[in-house]
Amino acid sequence: QVQLVESGGGLVQAGGSLRLSCAASGRPFSSSAMGWFRQAPGKEREFVAAVRWIGSSTYYATSVKGRFMISGDNANNTLYLQMNSLKPEDTAVYYCAARERYSIVVPTSPREYDYWGQGTQVTVSS
């Protein structure tokens, strides 16, 4: 069984920064891509950013492009999300996800991912 554990969430003022981390444990596996999603109260889970390890391709949601940066280590299935210039609308539970199946593009839909973390709360005050 694969477990993903997120950390680094918290409360920050608008304009501040946070760095989320995601670490995999359990059954060894090789991911083709990993990503971050978020879900605010009363809203659906939405894509934030993802990386496809082959070619180191990344993709960002329009709402975070230029403010967030995704990075990670394919060998250890670790993932990071550096979040700068945070806004109150970034408030949500942030989830880490991993895809084990091969992917030819950067996956952006929750259905394309095989494993999920429990989430970490990010709250941005105005």
Side-chain angles (χ1 to χ4, degrees), residues 100-123:
E100 190 168 16
R101 296 161 288 159
Y102 177 75
S103 177
I104 61 173
V105 297
V106 179
T108 60
S109 169
R111 296 189 301 272
E112 297 179 278
Y113 287 85
D114 303 307
Y115 309 112
W116 291 86
Q118 293 300 307
T120 185
Q121 177 70 46
V122 171
T123 303

Side-chain angles (χ1 to χ4, degrees), residues 57-110:
S57 301
T58 59
Y59 194 80
Y60 296 89
T62 302
S63 59
V64 306
K65 199 169 186 179
R67 300 188 297 122
F68 291 11
M69 178 174 290
I70 190 170
S71 62
D73 179 356
N74 181 23
N76 295 313
N77 289 315
T78 56
L79 192 69
Y80 307 99
L81 185 68
Q82 178 65 43
M83 305 186 294
N84 299 324
S85 302
L86 283 161
K87 305 176 181 179
E89 50 263 44
D90 294 318
T91 295
V93 177
Y94 283 70
Y95 296 91
C96 171
R99 176 182 169 96
E100 190 168 16
R101 296 161 288 159
Y102 177 75
S103 177
I104 61 173
V105 297
V106 179
T108 60
S109 169

Side-chain angles (χ1 to χ4, degrees), residues 6-76:
E6 304 94 338
S7 61
L11 173 64
V12 64
Q13 288 188 333
S17 298
L18 282 175
R19 186 176 189 244
L20 304 184
S21 300
C22 173
S25 63
R27 175 181 66 81
F29 74 106
S30 180
S31 63
S32 66
M34 294 185 74
W36 290 98
F37 290 76
R38 66 187 182 186
Q39 188 166 18
K43 296 187 177 181
E44 293 187 354
R45 189 167 300 189
E46 65 172 0
F47 170 78
V48 175
V51 56
R52 176 177 174 262
W53 299 121
I54 296 177
S56 298
S57 301
T58 59
Y59 194 80
Y60 296 89
T62 302
S63 59
V64 306
K65 199 169 186 179
R67 300 188 297 122
F68 291 11
M69 178 174 290
I70 190 170
S71 62
D73 179 356
N74 181 23
N76 295 313

